Amino acid sequence: METARIARILDEMGTLLEVRGENAFRCRAYHNAAQALKGLPSDLSEMIADGSLARVPVIGETMLAKITQLATTGHLPSFEELKKSTPSGLVALLRVPGLGPKKIKTLHDDLKIASLADLRAAGESGKIAAIKGFGAKTEAKILEGIDFLESVGDRILQSTARRLIGPIFEAVRAHPDVIRAEVCGSLRRRAETIGDLDILFSSADPASVLDHFVRLPDVAKVLAHGPTKASVRLGDGVQCDLRGVSDEQFPFALHYFTGSKAHNIEMRRRAIERGLKLSEYGLEGPDGAVACRTEEEVFGALGLAYIPPELREDQGEFALAEKGPLPRLVERSDLVGTFHCHTDWSDGGATLPEMVEAARAAGLTYLGIADHSKSAGYAGGLSIDRVRQQWAAIDALNGKLGKSFRVFKGTECDILADGSLDYPDDLLEGFDYVVASVHSGFGMDRESMTARIVKAVRNPRVTMLGHPTGRLLLARDGYPVDLDAVIQAASESGTMIEINANPHRLDLDSIHARKAHALGISIPINPDAHSTGGFGDLEYGVGVARRAGLGPAGVFNTSDLKSAAESLAARRSRGT
Ligand code: DGT
Ligand code: CA
Ligand code: CA
Ligand code: ZN
């Protein structure tokens, strides 16, 4: 059995044990082992054979035996029994915001709740409030959580989609009969969340490629399988659509299956206006088919410049493309530094030097460290003394790094309930920059929350606002806030607003980033990295910026080290 599949089983085992109320230590052992398998330095069967798997710290003796059994036989009876005896709806309850394994076990033991439907019925009849330790407030929260889950449906994060599509897409592309292949749909448009995965390829013999595709190891279930298209369910339950066309049809199909639907409808309307008929297979004119080799040529045939996939939402892209080539959008390679990163001084997993190393490996020339401030006790917020110690550590490190790389001293400073900041002014003045973020008091009403954030944004010591809405995609709505008022205040006071690039956040979103940019606000793309791997998330922030129509000049961390340092210094003197 493949390593990825074994890791999935261990993860699922951990989750099943959680909802069964097993002790947390035992559950975590499975999740940790799964995590370790995903990052193995070499082949799993080799590592079992030469004994090196036994030396991976989180893999104990029992775990080693289970992994070995899965790798050699493809079965793990204890897992299969557990899965059979656990109601499948119980695991779904884990996704309800605010509902952890402990509460789920109580709900199951006391009220026999084993599905979302059971949970809703119990909540609506007031039975949850009556359980000891729950109460009316918890019951209301749970009901809200179910509403939220139903509103997001089965969508997944872009990061999950990318991970899932990787091996399948590579397998299709590597197939000897495939000429061109491309990821389509919402993932190509870099939408915030993804419904299903779409892959398009061209071939002289699409049917044989599809036969190959439905037999791939990642495919758990074939939903439909014809000569030109197939739909399958992957191991994780996510659907993937694959379509094959001739190479002549490819540019038209690529455009069609990239969408969005709204964009496609407008394209088709424009074709009709010109006496043409556009479909996923081609462009028909009065004198026969109009051949196009590329998407550029498809747009060109309708009198339009090329529109990048991120802009294809029928949100003004046609008016731009009528006028001529679109301005270049920002790319990952334009980013030369970044702000808002955490280290193990607060809740990050890596040391300061390790983060610097990773930032350099990611092609950056400066790194802003912004650990949590003192009130953020849950996240290891820094006392004033610790801040001063960290400054000394950064000075020492900068001394060693020389001119080619610089660490900026920053803080992710909590915005307190009254809109003031979590450190005194004299300390704030010692930082190179200040990210101000809300991490507490999410329950405020919209008016108070807006006043709170506007006050922070107007504070001359604040360089940039962090994750402005606090949302967690597919998990939690943001706090109520009048974001337009915040953006207006930021533009008046020259405060930046970040695009937080963490794929769970993407906050600002593209719609508000576009508004902020229009008002002249400088926008940094920040990974909010909590480990060395976090820099990879910059790519998701670039996606948001591109969807907002931002070019390199609109993004603050495309400025080179010297101008970034000058700009930060100028902003600091604004406050004195
Ligand atoms: P998703 O999967 O919900 O994240 O969003 P998409 O955009 O990937 O949607 P999907 O997978 O249903 O379809 C892929 C593309 O195919 C879609 O973006 C546009 C095109 N398409 C699908 N259905 C229609 C339709 O009824 N009319 C038009 N014009 N295009 C469609
Ligand atoms: Ca899709
Ligand atoms: Ca689809
Ligand atoms: Zn934060």
Side-chain angles (χ1 to χ4, degrees):
M1 184 181 265
E2 275 178 290
T3 315
R5 196 169 278 196
I6 296 175
R8 273 208 302 272
I9 289 177
L10 296 182
D11 252 333
E12 196 177 341
M13 182 94 177
T15 305
L16 289 170
L17 291 170
E18 272 172 47
V19 298
R20 300 286 294 241
E22 270 296 332
N23 91 42
F25 183 75
R26 186 163 170 230
C27 303
R28 210 160 43 235
Y30 282 94
H31 294 304
N32 289 344
Q35 206 54 39
L37 287 193
K38 288 174 197 161
L40 286 184
S42 52
D43 185 66
L44 176 66
S45 44
E46 274 172 35
M47 290 187 68
I48 294 175
D50 68 13
S52 52
L53 190 66
R55 288 194 293 276
V56 175
V58 298
I59 296 177
E61 216 170 294
T62 343
M63 197 59 71
L64 181 66
K66 293 191 159 127
I67 295 170
T68 309
Q69 190 173 8
L70 277 167
T72 49
T73 68
H75 290 285
L76 186 62
S78 55
F79 168 68
E80 284 151 25
E81 273 157 36
L82 188 66
K83 197 168 161 130
K84 229 190 286 162
S85 64
T86 310
S88 60
L90 218 50
V91 173
L93 299 184
L94 269 180
R95 291 183 57 213
V96 177
L99 211 53
K102 270 213 182 89
K103 282 205 176 89
I104 292 175
K105 183 168 169 14
T106 308
L107 288 164
H108 185 58
D109 291 350
D110 287 18
L111 299 177
K112 306 263 171 301
I113 288 172
S115 70
L116 282 171
D118 294 349
L119 187 67
R120 182 186 281 291
E124 284 173 350
S125 58
K127 285 186 191 144
I128 294 176
I131 303 178
K132 193 166 158 262
F134 280 64
K137 234 183 168 171
T138 306
E139 184 176 80
K141 259 229 143 80
I142 288 174
L143 286 172
E144 252 172 54
I146 302 173
D147 286 344
F148 179 80
L149 270 191
E150 286 178 352
S151 75
V152 301
D154 294 331
R155 300 189 72 81
I156 56 173
L157 294 177
Q158 219 188 116
S159 46
T160 313
R162 264 179 214 285
R163 177 169 54 75
L164 293 176
I165 207 166
I168 297 166
F169 182 65
E170 282 316 312
V172 171
R173 184 153 66 178
H175 193 284
D177 295 338
V178 166
I179 304 165
R180 291 189 263 182
E182 203 72 66
V183 171
C184 299
S186 49
L187 189 54
R188 184 165 182 237
R189 301 195 314 278
R190 304 213 220 180
E192 288 175 351
T193 62
I194 308 298
D196 69 8
L197 307 172
D198 302 280
I199 295 174
L200 174 74
F201 68 88
S202 67
S203 170
D205 184 10
S208 79
V209 180
L210 286 168
D211 285 344
H212 170 74
F213 172 68
V214 298
R215 289 195 186 89
L216 288 175
D218 290 83
V219 170
K221 190 174 178 193
V222 180
L223 304 170
H225 179 197
T228 61
K229 60 186 197 185
S231 285
V232 300
R233 207 166 278 295
L234 303 181
D236 304 62
V238 174
Q239 186 177 321
C240 179
D241 293 339
L242 188 86
R243 294 180 188 79
V245 294
S246 72
D247 204 55
E248 292 71 44
Q249 293 168 333
F250 186 82
F252 303 100
L254 176 60
H255 177 269
Y256 180 87
F257 292 114
T258 297
S260 67
K261 196 168 160 180
H263 171 94
N264 286 356
I265 290 169
E266 177 58 16
M267 276 290 274
R268 206 170 281 195
R269 195 193 65 73
R270 283 172 179 255
I272 292 167
E273 221 171 53
R274 297 177 162 248
L276 302 165
K277 187 172 173 292
L278 178 67
S279 75
E280 58 262 55
Y281 305 113
L283 187 62
E284 291 291 327
D287 314 317
V290 181
C292 295
R293 276 289 305 156
T294 61
E295 267 188 329
E296 277 86 345
E297 292 180 17
V298 176
F299 284 114
L302 300 187
L304 296 166
Y306 177 74
I307 300 173
E310 293 90 339
L311 294 178
R312 300 184 197 167
E313 301 287 348
D314 193 19
Q315 297 282 334
E317 71 270 24
F318 289 101
L320 283 178
E322 269 174 358
K323 286 192 222 126
L326 274 68
R328 178 170 89 75
L329 298 177
V330 65
E331 288 166 27
R332 169 62 184 84
S333 56
D334 294 320
L335 303 184
V336 293
T338 198
F339 302 93
H340 193 171
C341 296
H342 298 268
T343 69
D344 63 358
W345 284 71
S346 68
D347 62 346
T351 64
L352 185 54
E354 283 165 354
M355 289 302 276
V356 168
E357 182 84 7
R360 296 185 90 144
L364 305 178
T365 58
Y366 53 90
L367 171 66
I369 295 297
D371 276 313
H372 287 282
S373 62
K374 65 179 179 6
S375 290
Y378 60 91
L382 270 56
S383 68
I384 292 175
D385 279 350
R386 293 274 292 160
V387 167
R388 295 193 189 280
Q389 286 167 25
Q390 193 185 48
W391 287 351
I394 292 176
D395 284 339
L397 191 55
N398 274 332
K400 272 191 261 169
L401 288 166
K403 281 213 177 76
S404 63
F405 192 95
R406 173 144 171 216
V407 183
F408 287 114
K409 295 170 196 157
T411 172
E412 182 179 18
C413 190
D414 269 32
I415 301 174
L416 304 179
D418 66 355
S420 64
L421 297 181
D422 192 24
Y423 286 131
D425 281 353
D426 63 332
L427 190 78
L428 290 174
E429 277 155 23
F431 289 102
D432 292 319
Y433 73 101
V434 172
V435 184
S437 306
V438 168
H439 289 118
S440 60
F442 283 28
M444 262 182 187
D445 64 66
R446 182 174 152 103
E447 206 178 324
S448 316
M449 185 60 93
T450 305
R452 173 185 183 185
I453 299 176
V454 163
K455 182 173 168 194
V457 153
R458 289 197 195 281
N459 185 329
R461 281 160 192 99
V462 171
T463 320
M464 58 185 78
L465 178 64
H467 46 70
T469 76
R471 73 171 178 180
L472 291 177
L473 288 167
L474 307 181
R476 166 179 99 195
D477 279 333
Y479 34 72
V481 59
D482 179 352
L483 208 46
D484 290 332
V486 170
I487 290 170
Q488 185 62 41
S491 83
E492 285 163 17
S493 55
T495 307
M496 300 190 234
I497 304 182
E498 76 171 5
I499 289 177
N500 189 301
N502 184 307
H504 293 272
R505 294 191 182 270
L506 304 183
D507 185 15
L508 281 179
D509 64 20
S510 61
I511 291 170
H512 291 93
R514 189 184 284 272
K515 287 186 184 176
H517 176 64
L519 289 178
I521 294 174
S522 187
I523 298 179
I525 298 176
N526 287 331
D528 200 352
H530 282 75
S531 67
T532 53
F535 295 104
D537 290 347
L538 283 169
E539 188 62 59
Y540 300 108
V542 169
V544 176
R546 290 173 64 87
R547 286 171 67 82
L550 266 59
V555 176
F556 182 62
N557 45 328
T558 59
S559 339
D560 63 25
L561 173 54
K562 186 164 170 288
S563 35
E566 282 168 6
S567 170
L568 293 180
R571 276 161 206 275
R572 283 177 58 220
S573 60
R574 180 186 62 147
T576 52

